[in-house]
Amino acid sequence: MRASRGLAWALGALLAASTAGAELLAARDAFARGDYAQAEREALSARGAGRVEGEAIVVQSMLATGRYAEALGRATRLAATPAGRAAGLYWQGESLVRGGRLGEALARGGEAILRGPETAAHWRARAALATWRARQGPRAPPAEGGHPPRRAAK
């Protein structure tokens, strides 16, 4: 009796995991085809461990269709969850960059690097931060003592 309950629980967990995997696979496939509405529907139906990746697919879809403010809102909600913190901060930064708010994106990208454990989302945020900083252009190196160089008197 006890063994059959354990087996039923294991089969139920396996079925739930495979269903979430199928939903995410369908969402990724729809996104790759450019069917963003379908990708969002499929991604939003993901549950459990696939929820964070599903939310990330929804944000990507919103960015692909130019809905930067919506993407920022969803990424902010994702960043508020412990499991989605690094991914949410990365997508917040990406939403801000695409919306023309580079300075704010740099601040949030730095936050993702400082807070995040070394996960794929953490490394993605770190690479994005370097790219966003490069977009700012070269900066003058600080003079001795950490102060910016003084201008020569005319």
Side-chain angles (χ1 to χ4, degrees):
M1 180 85 152
R2 186 177 273 175
S4 64
R5 276 192 210 150
L7 181 60
W9 182 85
L11 286 174
L14 182 60
L15 180 62
S18 67
T19 303
E23 292 160 346
L24 290 174
L25 186 61
R28 283 189 219 113
D29 186 46
F31 185 83
R33 286 191 322 266
D35 187 356
Y36 302 120
Q38 179 67 26
E40 287 182 35
R41 280 192 300 276
E42 293 289 344
L44 287 173
S45 63
R47 298 284 179 247
R51 185 75 178 154
V52 170
E53 187 178 349
E55 289 289 327
I57 292 171
V58 172
V59 172
Q60 289 175 20
S61 175
M62 290 175 170
L63 291 174
T65 56
R67 296 180 289 157
Y68 305 125
E70 283 182 68
L72 179 59
R74 188 166 288 277
T76 301
R77 288 189 300 277
L78 180 59
T81 65
R85 180 170 309 282
L89 289 170
Y90 165 75
W91 288 113
Q92 280 179 341
E94 196 63 44
S95 300
L96 290 165
V97 167
R98 293 189 191 185
R101 296 161 55 187
L102 180 61
E104 198 173 339
L106 288 169
R108 292 189 191 206
E111 185 179 346
I113 288 173
L114 293 175
R115 288 187 180 189
E118 292 193 6
T119 61
H122 169 81
W123 289 108
R124 185 180 308 119
R126 193 172 188 159
L129 182 62
T131 302
W132 299 335
R133 284 189 176 150
R135 287 183 187 175
Q136 278 188 318
R139 296 185 307 192
E144 191 174 335
H147 298 287
R150 294 182 179 215
R151 292 186 180 178
K154 291 184 179 181

